[in-house]
């Protein structure tokens, strides 16, 4: 039984000796160095066309169509706003003139005309809220013009009645002032004695013409009733007054020519004054006189 064990131990010892005597594996052969050949790389730059595109954006044609549609809607909004403004203008005028015709304008309109106009205003108001609620802008403008033709005529008669008398008084006073200036010129007053008689004659002729026109218009207006349109407006009296006074005042306010005084001669010096000045100069700073013979004062 011991022999097989002894053979096994001897075999293990031989194996261990052989392993110890063998050289290391990495020292058996030197490492090989490999050389890698690389290809030469050449870089080239190429310009690429870049087109920006937003994901989900409209094409050019669709974008143009959208812009046109937006513009169309904007124009429609403007037209609708203008239509409503025209409609409101008719409505506001109805309320305004109807109240005045029955109050401050009542005596400036015949009764029959006032009744007919009141009915017209009522019919127009009903039309606004019924058939004319969605009318076009031009239709509203036409309706407003129809109402204003009658309503503004009554307003003008009232305005002329209030402004006529002050305007006529201003013109009349202007003619009177000009006539007084002419009378002063004829009397030879110094204020106007430098005026040209021909120029004053122009003013006198204009006074006669304007006075004749004034009296004729005043006669026509005196026959006028409050319900009648005047043959001449208050503004015409103001225009006539301004035109006349511009001409007349330019003549009456002409300044007198300036009279230049004669040139002054240089003042002559008096001979006596010169002599006195000379004497005063001699006494100034003169030394005391010495005796002619040079005698000395005796001292005892």
């Amino acid at each position: 039984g011991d022999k097989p064990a002894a053979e096994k131990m001897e075999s293990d010892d031989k194996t261990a000796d052989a392993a110890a005597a063998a050289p290391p594996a990495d020292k058996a052969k030197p490492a090989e160095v490999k050389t890698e050949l690389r290809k030469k790389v050449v870089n080239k730059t190429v310009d690429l066309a870049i087109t920006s595109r937003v994901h989900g954006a409209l094409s050019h044609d669709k974008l143009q169509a959208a812009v046109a549609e937006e513009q169309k809607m904007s124009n429609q909004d403007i037209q609708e706003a203008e239509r409503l403004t025209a409609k409101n203008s008719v409505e506001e005028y109805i309320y305004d003139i109807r109240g005045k015709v029955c109050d401050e304008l009542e005596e400036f309109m015949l009764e029959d005309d006032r009744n007919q106009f009141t009915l017209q205003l009522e019919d127009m108001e009903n039309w606004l809220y019924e058939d004319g609620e969605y009318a076009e802008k031009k239709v509203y403008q036409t309706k407003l013009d129809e109402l204003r033709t009658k309503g503004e005529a009554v307003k003008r008669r009232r305005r002329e009645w209030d402004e006529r008398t002050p305007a006529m008084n201003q013109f009349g006073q202007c003619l009177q002032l000009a006539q007084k200036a002419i009378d002063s010129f004829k009397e030879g007053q110094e204020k106007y004695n430098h005026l040209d008689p021909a120029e004053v004659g122009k003013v006198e002729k204009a006074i006669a013409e304007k006075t004749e026109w004034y009296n004729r218009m005043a006669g026509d207006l005196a026959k006028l009733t409050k319900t009648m349109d005047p043959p001449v407006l208050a503004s015409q009296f103001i225009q006539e007054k301004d035109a006349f006074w511009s001409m007349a005042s330019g003549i009456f306010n002409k300044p007198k020519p300036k009279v230049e005084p004669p040139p002054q001669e240089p003042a002559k010096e008096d001979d006596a004054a010169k002599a006195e000045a000379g004497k005063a100069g001699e006494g100034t700073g003169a030394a005391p006189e010495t005796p002619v013979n040079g005698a000395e004062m005796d001292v005892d």
Side-chain angles (χ1 to χ4, degrees), residues 203-238:
V203 179
E204 189 171 17
K205 181 181 179 181
I207 291 176
E209 294 175 351
K210 299 301 181 182
T211 301
E212 189 277 332
W213 179 85
Y214 178 94
N215 293 334
R216 180 160 46 86
M217 293 298 102
D220 293 341
L221 291 170
K223 305 173 185 177
L224 200 68
T225 64
K226 291 184 177 181
T227 59
M228 299 172 61
D229 294 327
V232 59
L233 303 178
S235 59
Q236 290 178 262
F237 283 96
I238 299 299

Side-chain angles (χ1 to χ4, degrees), residues 49-182:
I50 300 176
T51 303
S52 61
R53 181 179 180 84
V54 180
H55 182 70
L58 298 176
S59 63
H60 177 74
D61 293 341
K62 290 184 178 180
L63 180 60
Q64 293 299 319
V67 171
E69 183 65 22
E70 179 68 19
Q71 185 63 42
K72 179 181 178 181
M73 295 175 63
S74 177
N75 293 337
Q76 290 176 350
D77 292 341
I78 294 174
Q79 292 174 1
E80 178 64 13
E82 292 178 350
R83 188 190 72 84
L84 292 176
T85 299
K87 179 183 179 182
N88 292 336
S89 297
V90 178
E91 185 177 31
E92 291 173 1
Y93 191 79
I94 291 174
Y95 293 154
D96 176 70
I97 196 65
R98 181 166 52 193
K100 291 180 178 180
V101 164
C102 299
D103 186 14
E104 61 191 78
L105 301 178
E106 183 177 2
E107 57 184 338
F108 294 91
M109 199 172 192
L110 294 173
E111 183 177 1
D112 291 342
D113 294 340
R114 184 170 61 254
N115 292 336
Q116 291 179 5
F117 188 50
T118 301
L119 291 175
Q120 183 181 2
L121 293 172
E122 184 177 352
D123 292 341
M124 188 69 70
E125 184 179 15
N126 294 333
W127 174 82
L128 276 177
Y129 301 115
E130 295 175 0
D131 297 339
E133 185 174 2
Y134 300 103
E136 296 294 331
K137 172 184 174 181
K138 292 183 178 180
V139 177
Y140 291 129
Q141 291 176 337
T142 301
K143 296 291 185 181
L144 180 60
D145 291 340
E146 293 175 3
L147 299 180
R148 289 176 62 88
T149 299
K150 294 183 179 180
E152 294 306 299
V154 184
K155 287 184 178 181
R156 184 167 53 251
R157 287 197 287 269
R158 168 63 188 272
R159 183 173 60 252
E160 287 296 320
W161 185 269
D162 294 338
E163 298 178 356
R164 184 181 304 127
T165 300
M168 294 179 67
N169 290 341
Q170 289 182 33
F171 192 20
Q173 292 173 2
C174 182
L175 294 174
Q176 291 176 4
L177 289 175
Q179 185 60 52
K180 287 182 179 180
I182 290 178

